[in-house]
Amino acid sequence: MSKLLVFGHQNPDTDAITSAISYAYLLKQLGEEAEAVALGEPNEETQYALNYFNRTAPRVVSSVSEETDRVALVDHNEVQQSASDVEKVEVQYVVDHHRIANFQTANPLFYRCEPVGCTNTILFKMYKEYGIEIPKEIAGLMVSAIVSDTLLFKSPTCTQQDIEAATELARIAEIDVNSYGLEMLKAGTNLSTKSEAELIDLDAKSFPMGSYNMRIAQVNVVDEQELLARREALEFSMKEANATHGYDTFLLVVTNILTSVSTGLVVGEALETVAKAFNTEYENGLLILPGVVSRKKQVVPPLTVAFEN
């Protein structure tokens, strides 16, 4: 039997990379020959967590079928967000906290999906259910993911389960979750060295919505004006991405982690539909979205409704 590769989505965020690490470790303890890999390099926030807990990033792959015939997916299930050849291998495990879409298998599999703020919250529960002790450095990566996905418990995706998991994981990792979490989030807002093409691809996912192919990227900042000063170049890169990859509309969500206000920059065919989804109008060509911080819960669902209706 070939080795099981465990990986998160393309353009991986902290949860995608660390849930691959934490799930691969759990599967190993349960007798699987599992390896965590990644579908991209870690961003600054994720690298901060990896460095803090003295862990090496998983090796990067783009395809998997040439080295295995079985995989485990974490923090995603949609085919367009996965490895380029995921349909050529057998998906044996999925642990996720997103909607289920564009996903089917030929054989039964282990599938666990729960409406919590972070995949690592589910994995924390699985460690406890299996009676497997969580090593200090793994616990640190897991709590880092929960902090990232819930924006230090301020996101509407955050549940009491996330808070309880983070509290216990922080104790194992021997950190103060609030002070550590704020420093980690700030590390992810250092965008000055990134090109516009890199910025719009840092944390971007594609979503089929009605007859449209929607691309939604999100960038966290502490000062949105610093990024919006590059607006013209950002819009140019977004239009290029649309033309190159066949996206109908590209939405860049710039989220201020201190004020919990997002600014939407939109290019493409369906500008008015995007505005309608959020029940607002453009101000100088921008969508101002107070309280919107979660792509999963506050961006994708209203857009899906707007495009399908």
Side-chain angles (χ1 to χ4, degrees):
M1 185 177 292
S2 61
K3 177 169 58 178
L4 182 79
L5 295 184
V6 186
F7 52 87
H9 52 76
Q10 298 173 22
N11 301 315
D13 56 11
T14 301
D15 193 28
I17 286 183
T18 63
S19 58
I21 294 171
S22 57
Y23 194 31
Y25 180 86
L26 175 60
L27 287 170
K28 286 179 184 177
Q29 306 315 300
L30 298 174
E32 277 280 13
E33 184 186 358
E35 179 192 359
V37 295
L39 302 185
E41 298 289 347
N43 60 33
E44 281 84 351
E45 177 192 279
T46 309
Q47 193 61 56
Y48 179 93
L50 291 167
N51 292 344
Y52 192 97
F53 293 104
N54 197 29
R55 290 288 303 215
T56 303
R59 66 185 178 93
V60 175
V61 301
S62 58
S63 59
V64 293
S65 61
E66 292 184 358
E67 58 176 303
T68 189
D69 57 8
R70 59 197 194 102
V71 299
L73 310 184
V74 291
D75 199 33
H76 77 295
N77 64 81
E78 298 188 49
V79 172
Q80 72 273 12
Q81 298 174 8
S82 198
S84 60
D85 57 348
V86 70
E87 294 175 297
K88 295 181 180 179
V89 296
E90 181 178 0
V91 178
Q92 294 190 339
Y93 303 87
V94 177
V95 181
D96 191 17
H97 68 131
H98 295 93
R99 71 176 191 174
I100 301 171
N102 310 309
F103 180 82
Q104 63 181 17
T105 61
N107 298 311
L109 74 161
F110 177 91
Y111 197 110
R112 184 153 177 176
C113 184
E114 298 185 19
V116 293
C118 181
T119 305
N120 272 287
T121 297
I122 305 170
L123 290 167
F124 169 77
K125 294 164 65 176
M126 292 172 63
Y127 270 90
K128 295 181 76 69
E129 291 163 5
Y130 286 114
I132 304 297
E133 183 177 351
I134 306 175
K136 177 180 176 180
E137 68 278 9
I138 298 287
L141 296 180
M142 294 173 75
V143 71
S144 298
I146 297 173
V147 166
S148 176
D149 268 14
T150 67
L151 282 181
L152 202 53
F153 317 123
K154 293 192 295 184
S155 170
T157 61
C158 184
T159 68
Q160 186 61 33
Q161 293 181 63
D162 297 297
I163 296 170
E164 292 172 359
T167 300
E168 186 165 343
L169 289 166
R171 179 186 58 77
I172 297 170
E174 299 179 358
I175 61 168
D176 178 90
V177 67
N178 289 299
S179 59
Y180 166 80
L182 185 58
E183 290 305 310
M184 185 195 75
L185 290 173
K186 286 182 177 179
T189 66
N190 180 20
L191 307 174
S192 59
T193 61
K194 301 291 184 183
S195 69
E196 286 75 20
E198 290 172 322
L199 285 170
I200 66 169
D201 205 41
L202 278 176
D203 184 8
K205 294 181 180 180
S206 299
F207 298 89
M209 294 186 177
S211 60
Y212 287 84
N213 182 17
M214 186 86 182
R215 186 71 164 174
I216 306 174
Q218 186 169 26
V219 176
N220 291 338
V221 299
V222 292
D223 179 7
E224 63 274 16
Q225 295 307 318
E226 182 178 343
L227 189 63
L228 292 175
R230 304 165 65 178
R231 175 178 171 179
E232 185 176 346
L234 286 167
E235 289 179 334
F236 179 80
S237 289
M238 293 161 69
K239 290 174 182 177
E240 279 200 325
N242 285 353
T244 301
H245 301 290
Y247 309 135
D248 299 299
T249 303
F250 199 125
L251 167 62
L252 174 63
V253 181
V254 181
T255 301
N256 188 313
I257 63 173
L258 301 180
T259 65
S260 297
V261 175
S262 288
T263 303
L265 187 60
V266 193
V267 300
E269 300 177 10
L271 273 67
E272 292 309 315
T273 305
V274 174
K276 179 182 175 182
F278 298 107
N279 194 29
T280 189
E281 297 181 354
Y282 290 93
E283 299 179 22
N284 297 319
L286 299 172
L287 295 176
I288 309 303
L289 307 172
V292 173
V293 297
S294 169
R295 175 172 53 196
K296 180 179 70 174
K297 193 167 185 176
Q298 295 175 297
V299 177
V300 172
L303 282 170
T304 301
V305 171
F307 275 91
E308 293 183 351
N309 290 339

